[in-house]
Amino acid sequence: MSSTELVIAVAEGAAPQTQELSHDEDTKQQVLEDAGNLQLILHRTYGLIENFSTTFAALYFVGGVRVTFSTGIAAGGNLAYWTSYLVTCVFTFITAAVIAEICSALPAAGSIYLWAAEAGGPKYGRFLGFVVAWWSIAAWTTFCASNTQSAVNYMLSEITVFNLDFPSDPSSVKFRTVQWICTEVLLALAILVNFLPPRVFRYVFYLSSSFVLLDFLLNVIWLPIGTANTWGFRTANEAFMTTYNGTGAPEEWNWCLSYLATAGILIGFDASGHVAEETKNASIDAAKGIFWSTVVSGIGGFITIVLFLFCTPDAATLFSFGSPQPFVPLYAVVLGQGGHVFMNIVCITALWFNTAIAIVAASRLVFAVARDGVLPFSSWVSEVSPEGQPRNAVLVIWGVSALVTFTILPSGVAFTSLISAAGVPSAAAYGLICFECFFLTPNSFPKPRWSLGKLRRPFQFVSIFWNGWVVAVLFSPYEFPITGETLNYAPIIMTGVTLFAVLSWWFTPEEAWLSTKRNTQFSEADTSAGEEITRDPKDIVTRE
């Protein structure tokens, strides 16, 4: 048995102790050295519910559908939106299953970056690990910024509802300035919540998931009643068969652009993997959290889409509301002034919680990448608080996300570009990891406890092409003809991030990269009984 297998933590709540079942002094000394290497391992606090909630809240399927609904309707109409979403669900579930199995083999903070490094093998692992590290950091920090902006759009849409004497068009610099300020404030509040100790922050998981369910139930119950009392339901033919071209793209590509909306709803399911290092029995529960939260969110998303297709007016009426978030004036018409204000508060609160949970996932990713020496100032970024939390990594997320929100100021289409930029690196990383596992390490990747069995290889193969397609769509301009104002910034952002990754890989000495040793520690650590890996060298149990 290797020395890393000897590093076993005491169960939560147990008194620190040292049990010596081996009399080999050299072995004990090696164990103590390995324990020192565990000083930067996070505290195992969460269970299956918290892990499930991480992805469930991060995806927030109701909010995802609302945010992308007008985008999806403009690209092909109702028919394209719901059919493309069904296709998206099938292939996203397949990809989530592959990623969940990989997480089962390596359940550690930073997850997706570590998986890419391990799947690349000895020859390509280090390079591909660096690339995916930078891609994923860009994805999650951009998502934190764009998601906060989405919440602000709900707030500012009240300008239209109450007919205030203030610009409500994103083309106005005055409007975008207020939008940017509000985004920064909400982002700062979400950051502050992440400094709560784990025993308190677990309730943020519960509240976030509760608001997702509340939002869903209010729409399922309240929206149909309001629709029946106002403009009435659309017919089945109108709800399911209507087509529309609001992008100016050729008809074929206009339909394909519907995937920009549908794929974005379910991207980010790796969130549960990022908190795997803080999850007990992670090789099983983190894998379950990734897969089942994606499935539940996908099914909930489809129900929400069907509901909205029957309850919303035709595309021309929907776009005539002239609001940053069309559902706010829609709720005002259907639910009344008082009802729509309450609904809007629920939407804004749920999105804010969504951002807070996303910061959890993003900060754990940044922490893990810095812990292995990939980022500038890695030693500071990877510091862990006495409670076992990566607080400096949270500050990094705040700084980068705050800078990203500056893209609100120069362009009226920055929001759509932010959605694309947030989704592209994640989809690219999913596809790349599946490619590595299929072609580079089909037989040498660590064995998972949560296994796909014979479905592993076909699922990996399908996931490669699906995520390649998603990247292609997210790279596309959304409005035609293409001008400086309608340019999609996602390819530019992705190119810049990849360049940073290559430079980081080139200038970081190979011997300074610690990922390989940590992968061994995490894959061999026995957490099946729910033990914690602590940061105290005294908490060691050695066994023969």
Side-chain angles (χ1 to χ4, degrees), residues 43 53 60 72 166 175 212 217 231 252 327 366 456:
H43 194 277
S53 298
Y60 182 25
F166 193 85
F175 172 85
V212 173
L217 291 175
W231 51 48
E252 295 79 6
F327 271 87
V366 169
R456 177 184 299 123

Side-chain angles (χ1 to χ4, degrees), residues 9-270:
V10 294
E12 183 177 14
Q17 57 182 331
T18 302
Q19 300 178 8
E20 299 182 8
L21 303 183
S22 170
H23 299 287
D24 188 330
E25 294 300 326
D26 292 336
T27 300
K28 289 191 292 184
Q29 180 62 33
Q30 181 61 48
V31 171
L32 290 173
E33 291 176 1
D34 287 338
N37 291 330
L38 295 178
Q39 289 293 317
L40 296 179
I41 290 180
L42 301 179
H43 194 277
R44 290 195 186 274
T45 305
Y46 305 128
L48 175 60
I49 295 177
E50 291 86 358
N51 190 277
F52 176 93
S53 298
T54 303
T55 291
F56 184 70
L59 293 180
Y60 182 25
F61 64 89
V62 186
V65 172
R66 254 194 315 255
V67 166
T68 62
F69 189 80
S70 58
T71 303
I73 295 301
N78 297 22
L79 178 60
Y81 192 39
W82 73 267
T83 54
S84 296
Y85 184 79
L86 283 179
V87 174
T88 297
C89 280
V90 171
F91 289 107
T92 301
F93 293 168
I94 291 174
T95 303
V98 174
I99 297 300
E101 183 186 51
I102 295 172
C103 178
S104 178
L106 287 174
S111 58
I112 196 167
Y113 141 72
L114 296 175
W115 306 335
E118 184 71 22
K123 186 174 182 181
Y124 303 106
R126 180 172 174 270
F127 174 73
L128 296 177
F130 273 63
V131 170
V132 170
W134 282 89
W135 282 358
S136 298
I137 290 173
W140 280 101
T141 52
T142 305
F143 175 77
C144 292
S146 63
N147 195 66
T148 310
Q149 186 189 20
S150 298
V152 171
N153 282 344
Y154 281 87
M155 296 170 53
L156 298 184
S157 292
E158 297 290 6
I159 295 172
T160 303
V161 174
F162 289 99
N163 197 27
L164 302 179
D165 185 19
F166 193 85
S168 61
D169 190 341
S171 63
S172 168
V173 175
K174 188 175 181 180
F175 172 85
R176 295 201 303 272
T177 301
V178 173
Q179 187 183 45
W180 169 68
I181 293 172
C182 293
T183 300
E184 295 286 11
V185 171
L186 286 185
L187 178 63
L189 292 175
I191 289 290
L192 290 177
V193 169
N194 273 266
F195 290 118
L196 293 173
R199 66 180 181 279
V200 177
F201 191 86
R202 68 168 66 242
Y203 293 102
V204 176
F205 287 114
Y206 304 152
L207 286 172
S208 183
S209 295
S210 298
F211 268 93
V212 173
L213 292 175
L214 175 63
D215 191 358
F216 177 68
L217 291 175
L218 286 176
N219 277 280
V220 169
I221 298 171
W222 203 359
L223 185 59
I225 295 174
T227 300
N229 293 331
T230 51
W231 51 48
F233 298 104
R234 306 190 72 187
T235 66
N237 185 70
E238 291 172 336
F240 290 123
M241 304 306 293
T242 306
T243 59
Y244 186 80
N245 188 337
T247 66
E251 291 300 325
E252 295 79 6
W253 190 246
N254 177 65
W255 184 289
C256 293
L257 287 174
S258 62
Y259 286 99
L260 186 151
T262 61
I265 296 171
L266 295 178
I267 285 180
F269 52 76
D270 54 301

Side-chain angles (χ1 to χ4, degrees), residues 10 17 86 104 168 182 191 197 240 264 274 312 317 322 385 413 436 453 477 498 515-516 525-526 542:
V10 294
Q17 57 182 331
L86 283 179
S104 178
S168 61
C182 293
I191 289 290
F240 290 123
H274 295 308
T312 57
T317 303
S385 70
V413 297
E436 293 177 72
T498 304
S515 180
T516 301
D526 178 10
T542 61

